[in-house]
Amino acid sequence: MLKSTVSSFKSLLVASFLTLTASVAMANPFTLAPLPYAFDALEPAIDKETMQIHHGKHHQAYVNNLNAQVATYPELAKMSLEQIMAKISSYNMAVRNNGGGHYNHALFWTLMAPVGKGGTPSSALAKAIDRDFGSLDKMKEAFEKAGATRFGSGWAWVVVTADKKLVITSTPNQDNPLMDIAEVKGTPILALDVWEHAYYLKYQNRRGDYLKEWWKVVNWNEVNKLFDQAMK
């Protein structure tokens, strides 16, 4: 009898724990993934302290604030970030800012790699770059201009449009080209954060220097993969 009671109690505890875990997961469906490299892995282009604050403080805040919106919009818990972006006009500014912030940063981390480990543009991507921009150098020049001329905070992007062309654009704040409110829509394959928190500790007001140094840590291997997926 005692063994049976203890066994039932243990089963009840396990069931309660699983229910609690499921409830927490439903209430906080969005999580911050660890960086795919060490905080100091992108030096000297991006310093360790900036990466620690940018990832652990800024990105984490977007995740926390997006999770807080699940109480208002329960359907968010079952949606991917891409699905949320596609109908962002249906939600409030908190979802737009924090959902965009989470998507943008989650992508951004993967688009960088330690110096010498990012590879080079694939043959297919290089051909598309030459076709749509004239050369890689011209693409970089246009991309840097998009980042430098974005007033205030925002992002610079290279996207694949619906007609399979490469286009450079920029967005304010935490908007992105996947959003249904974006002026230029497309699938992002390259993105650069030009908020001051992304570069100010090292570069202060020299956003242009940050833009140029950033090319040294671009993860072209990931860009190539995203390009191939977008072209299908």
Side-chain angles (χ1 to χ4, degrees), residues 141-209:
E141 181 180 351
F143 187 84
E144 289 174 25
K145 182 178 180 180
T149 57
R150 167 49 59 187
F151 183 77
S153 301
W155 292 74
W157 307 88
V158 177
V159 302
V160 175
T161 60
D163 59 356
K164 305 303 181 183
K165 301 294 185 181
L166 294 179
V167 171
I168 289 172
T169 186
S170 71
T171 56
N173 302 315
Q174 294 297 347
D175 286 0
N176 62 60
L178 288 181
M179 291 181 171
D180 60 359
I181 49 82
E183 291 184 9
V184 177
K185 297 179 176 63
T187 302
I189 64 169
L190 192 63
L192 178 58
D193 189 345
V194 294
W195 282 62
E196 286 189 343
H197 65 237
Y199 63 86
Y200 202 82
L201 289 181
K202 181 176 176 65
Y203 297 96
Q204 289 80 51
N205 64 319
R206 304 188 307 276
R207 183 188 288 186
D209 291 349

Side-chain angles (χ1 to χ4, degrees), residues 21-102:
T21 301
S23 297
V24 172
M26 183 62 73
N28 298 289
F30 304 102
T31 59
L32 178 64
L35 287 175
Y37 35 73
F39 288 114
D40 61 355
L42 303 181
E43 292 187 338
I46 303 179
D47 60 285
K48 178 180 179 180
E49 186 176 7
T50 292
M51 291 300 295
Q52 290 174 322
I53 296 172
H54 198 174
H55 178 266
K57 301 297 184 181
H58 290 283
H59 191 177
Q60 183 67 67
Y62 294 125
V63 172
N64 294 344
N65 292 334
L66 180 59
N67 279 325
Q69 290 302 307
V70 174
T72 303
Y73 304 103
E75 70 272 19
L76 294 177
K78 298 181 180 180
M79 297 171 66
S80 68
L81 289 172
E82 289 79 4
Q83 290 171 328
I84 295 171
M85 298 302 103
K87 54 183 303 185
I88 203 68
S89 61
S90 301
Y91 299 108
N92 61 20
M93 286 302 296
V95 175
R96 176 172 167 177
N97 291 335
N98 293 291
H102 184 20

